[in-house]
């Protein structure tokens, strides 16, 4: 059975190989490149983590393509979805950050970046950027902040959020471990940096077991008042 | 005198009564589009090689349901006869049932004739059935066995096509596996070489294909007997979670409690261990 590019459907996933009669093929401007991102906000820190696998259909394009991009000393953005749009969107955001710095002589705050991203995304309401964004950083008071977006710009501030292909597997676990949901008689200890990093590593190990698009390596960007620090942890490569 | 059947004779082939209804449901009204449940595919790498004394078959152990791994320790090398085994790729239910049915038929044949079945018989039965179902049964199989006429390796496609070659790979990971086989295959290899080749071919499929993964199973068939090695090579990725995620009793809120006593007598107790892929 020949496996050609025609075996891949619109979203880059394998399609059913049955003859169903004459089919009209359309060019799709989007592809799904996989990947998972996760952000957690603490008392005085924020974490943005992503896996580093870039895939299309059942193939791997790259094992070293992280999805977190550092914007300023206090903000990191995680983008997953269609890699072409992720790259263009981050270029646009970086250009706008420079423009703001030159006009206003100060760096953009996390909240300001989030608001700006929302308008950038809505500007393409009728041909969206196929990107799931999560911004993690420190707000003006030095507290951790996480802003999660949908592809057309709707956003809200959260304590923790998972996005991308394994988001449905990660989000319930975070709801339980960080939000203490569905539990009684549990001491609600505020999350420390060490515990948060440990949780993120464990959660990605589990995601890599069950999601085929997540794996290879995990990159965690830790944002504190000292700046942005990176940690890289290996994940399953199969 | 006209005979009337009380019971409708069983119609062979698939029953397409519900297909018009399904189309209506799927295309339905704007609010209520209902999607049909997708069958679980194995998204696999399987391979086989004929060597000096027999046949070596290999398979990975991952079964996927779209992008989620449904089974990490799935058994893809199925028993057909004492001297014939079959690797299956494609829709999991189809490969299971087709190979089961084939195995039953060959057992009946063995009992009737007192002979071990030949590999060509298995191939012909499969080809016949799959062609008759016009590709609706999504079974991509690699059949290998040793009989009185020698060692044979066949592939049977879902539409009923067959191919008889000394080395084969099938499944979503067939292209990387075939690359390894094309590079290193030679005739009349010895056992260790053949096992290493099949194992490396499956490994290439596991690393390059997202639908294949976890462990590698091997099955060596010779005139003397069968060596089913499960697993031959375990996945080297056993990253364990660091923290403990256990919950104390009383963590889940209990809203109501009703107790129905059952009058039961314990007659027999057995324990069967689940086959899991190594780590938690």
């Amino acid at each position: 059975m020949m496996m050609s590019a025609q075996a891949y459907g619109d979203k880059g996933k394998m399609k059913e190989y049955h003859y169903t009669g004459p089919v009209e093929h359309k060019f799709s401007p989007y592809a799904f490149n996989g990947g998972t991102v996760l952000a957690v906000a603490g008392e005085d820190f924020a974490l943005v983590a992503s896996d580093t696998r870039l895939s299309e259909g059942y193939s791997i394009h790259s094992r070293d393509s992280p999805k977190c991009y550092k914007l300023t000393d206090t903000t990191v953005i995680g983008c997953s979805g269609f890699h072409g749009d992720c790259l263009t969107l981050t270029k646009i955001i970086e250009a706008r950050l420079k423009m703001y710095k030159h006009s206003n002589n100060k760096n953009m705050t996390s909240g300001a970046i989030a608001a700006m991203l929302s308008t950038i995304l809505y500007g393409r309401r009728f041909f969206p950027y196929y990107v799931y964004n999560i911004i993690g950083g420190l707000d003006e008071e030095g507290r951790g902040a996480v802003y999660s977006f949908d592809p057309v710009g709707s956003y809200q501030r959260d304590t923790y959020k998972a996005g991308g292909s394994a988001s449905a597997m990660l989000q319930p676990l975070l709801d339980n471990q960080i939000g203490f949901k569905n539990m009684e008689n549990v001491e609600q200890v505020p999350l420390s940096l060490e515990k948060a990093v440990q949780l993120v590593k464990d959660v990605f190990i589990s995601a890599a077991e069950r999601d085929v698009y997540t794996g290879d390596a995990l990159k965690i960007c830790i944002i504190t008042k000292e700046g942005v620090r990176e940690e890289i942890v290996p994940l399953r490569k199969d | 005198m006209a005979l009337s059947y009380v019971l409708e004779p069983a119609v062979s082939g698939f029953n397409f009564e519900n297909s018009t209804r399904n189309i209506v449901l799927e295309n339905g009204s704007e609010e209520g589009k209902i999607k049909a449940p997708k069958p679980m595919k194995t998204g696999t790498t399987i391979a086989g090689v004929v060597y000096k004394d027999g046949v070596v078959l290999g398979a990975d152990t991952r079964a996927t349901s779209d992008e989620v791994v449904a089974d990490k320790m799935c058994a893809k090398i199925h028993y057909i006869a004492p001297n014939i085994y079959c690797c299956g790729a494609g829709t999991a239910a189809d490969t299971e049932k087709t190979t089961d049915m084939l195995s039953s038929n060959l057992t009946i044949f063995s009992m009737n004739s007192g002979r071990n079945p030949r590999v060509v018989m298995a191939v012909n039965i499969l080809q016949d059935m799959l062609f008759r179902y016009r590709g609706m049964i999504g079974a991509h199989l690699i059949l290998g066995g040793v009989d009185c006429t020698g060692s044979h390796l066949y592939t049977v496609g879902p539409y009923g096509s067959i191919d008889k070659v000394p080395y084969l790979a099938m499944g979503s990971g067939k292209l990387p596996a075939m690359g390894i086989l094309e590079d290193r295959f030679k005739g009349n290899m010895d056992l260790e070489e053949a096992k290493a080749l099949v194992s490396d071919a499956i490994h290439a499929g596991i690393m390059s294909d997202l639908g294949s993964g976890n462990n590698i199973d091997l099955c060596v068939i010779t005139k003397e007997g069968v060596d089913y090695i499960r697993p031959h090579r375990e996945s080297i990725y056993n990253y364990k979670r660091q923290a403990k995620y256990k919950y104390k009793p009383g963590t889940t809120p209990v809203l109501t409690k009703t107790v129905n006593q059952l009058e039961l007598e314990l007659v027999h107790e057995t324990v069967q261990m689940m086959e899991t892929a190594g780590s938690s």
Side-chain angles (χ1 to χ4, degrees), chain A residues 1 13 18 58 63 176-177 183-185 198-199 202 205-206 209-213 235-238, chain B residues 62 67-70 72 135 140 174 206-207 209-210 214 235 237 241-243 245 247 250-251 253:
Chain A
M1 203 183 101
K13 299 189 189 175
H18 285 305
Y58 273 130
R63 293 194 198 273
N176 179 258
Q177 293 292 312
M183 290 205 292
E184 278 184 349
N185 308 323
Q198 198 46 70
L199 183 63
D202 285 348
I205 288 173
S206 298
E209 289 278 318
R210 290 288 177 176
D211 180 30
V212 303
Y213 296 121
L235 291 175
R236 293 186 78 101
K237 292 185 162 49
D238 61 3
Chain B
R62 174 182 285 183
E67 65 204 25
V68 178
V69 176
K72 296 192 270 191
H140 307 237
K174 71 182 278 193
I206 284 176
M207 297 304 281
D209 175 45
L210 296 178
N214 298 97
S235 168
Y237 307 113
R241 287 187 281 275
Q242 300 294 327
Y245 295 95
Y247 299 98
T251 308

